[in-house]
Amino acid sequence: MSGQTVDPRPTATTAPDGARDLGIAPFLSPGGQIDWHYRKPGWQTGDASNIAPMRVVRDDERGLVAWLAAGSLLEGMGAPDGQRIRTVALDQRWLVERTRIVEEWWGNGVLRIAPTGTPWSVWLFWSDATGTDWVFDGWYVNLENAHQRTGSATHSSDHVLDVEIDASGEVRLKDEDELEAAIEQGRISADEAEQITRHADAAIGAFHGGHWAFAQEWVDWRPDPAWTIPQLSDLPR
């Protein structure tokens, strides 16, 4: 991780009691469903969260690889008027009450990779996913708490700041303005934000260092054509 000091969970843990770290058995088989949860720090039962039902690609000691299919129904966070949180004005985004909404994943499928003990996941995007010759668009590094597992679910908390790496390897930070707003509105502390910024540097170092999550095998990977779209469960909160 390029010599950077990282804290696997710089914000409050939001996994259920009894959760285990990613990379510890039992593991799920390829093709099985896993529900990928994001919860805010300090999440309480009944609070809104983000949940994506996905297909397991690989689940072992190194981490979790899972596929989010186009057309999947996701649970998301909305404002009281029903609009997506991402569309709420930035000066109010972490102040408004959040409600549960269901929305369809609008883009092509996404491959998500969560390495064990790592405060980010790597998402692979394709601008064209028709036929056999997909067009790779690049990597999106989602900075977040290291994942924890319960049954067929994995849990994390998003850290607002992200890293975009295009297919040519050009790197840029994303949502620096949102990170500043999150500090001002009490979503995270200034100390947590400082650690998260170091994580961005470490993730960039991991990319340049050839970490396995950025390997060519994942760019070339394709989902099993027999897979169906997993169903969003009405899980107790």
Side-chain angles (χ1 to χ4, degrees):
M1 298 182 185
S2 190
Q4 297 285 342
T5 300
V6 299
D7 178 352
R9 299 183 187 94
T11 60
T13 298
T14 55
D17 291 343
R20 67 187 187 279
D21 285 345
L22 199 69
I24 297 175
F27 301 114
L28 299 176
S29 300
Q33 178 169 337
I34 188 162
D35 295 323
W36 189 299
H37 293 241
Y38 286 114
R39 296 172 167 180
K40 68 178 182 180
W43 185 93
Q44 300 291 324
T45 299
D47 287 348
S49 59
N50 287 300
I51 306 173
M54 304 173 69
R55 291 285 174 209
V56 174
V57 176
R58 194 183 77 192
D59 185 22
D60 57 24
E61 291 82 0
R62 289 198 293 175
L64 172 67
V65 183
W67 173 246
L68 174 62
S72 297
L73 290 181
L74 315 179
E75 180 171 315
M77 297 184 189
D81 61 3
Q83 69 172 307
R84 298 177 69 240
I85 283 294
R86 293 286 298 179
T87 66
V88 174
L90 188 55
D91 64 354
Q92 293 294 311
R93 192 164 298 169
W94 285 278
L95 298 176
V96 299
E97 180 184 354
R98 300 194 172 199
T99 60
R100 296 169 62 183
I101 61 173
V102 174
E103 53 188 348
E104 182 176 324
W105 178 253
W106 51 266
N108 292 319
V110 178
L111 188 68
R112 295 184 184 179
I113 303 173
T116 298
T118 302
W120 61 76
S121 60
V122 179
W123 301 11
L124 284 75
F125 285 83
W126 288 264
S127 58
D128 184 357
T130 58
T132 57
D133 297 324
W134 292 14
V135 179
F136 181 59
D137 203 36
W139 300 269
Y140 185 95
V141 182
N142 199 73
L143 301 174
E144 58 196 33
N145 276 0
H147 283 240
Q148 294 177 285
R149 291 286 295 278
T150 57
S152 59
T154 187
H155 302 267
S156 184
S157 183
D158 184 72
H159 290 162
V160 185
L161 184 68
D162 300 302
V163 180
E164 291 185 322
I165 307 172
D166 69 23
S168 70
E170 183 175 348
V171 179
R172 74 178 185 92
L173 292 180
K174 181 179 182 295
D175 297 331
E176 294 170 281
D177 58 338
E178 291 192 22
L179 184 64
E180 293 180 5
I183 298 170
E184 293 170 358
Q185 295 169 37
R187 167 64 162 73
I188 58 174
S189 70
D191 288 343
E192 289 168 341
E194 183 179 349
Q195 178 68 68
I196 290 164
T197 301
R198 289 198 294 270
H199 289 173
D201 292 338
I204 294 168
F207 168 72
H208 290 304
H211 188 277
W212 68 265
F214 299 97
Q216 184 65 34
E217 69 173 296
W218 303 119
V219 176
D220 298 336
W221 178 88
R222 300 292 181 266
D224 186 331
W227 284 353
T228 58
I229 296 177
Q231 299 300 301
L232 181 63
S233 302
D234 186 16
L235 301 174
R237 303 289 184 262

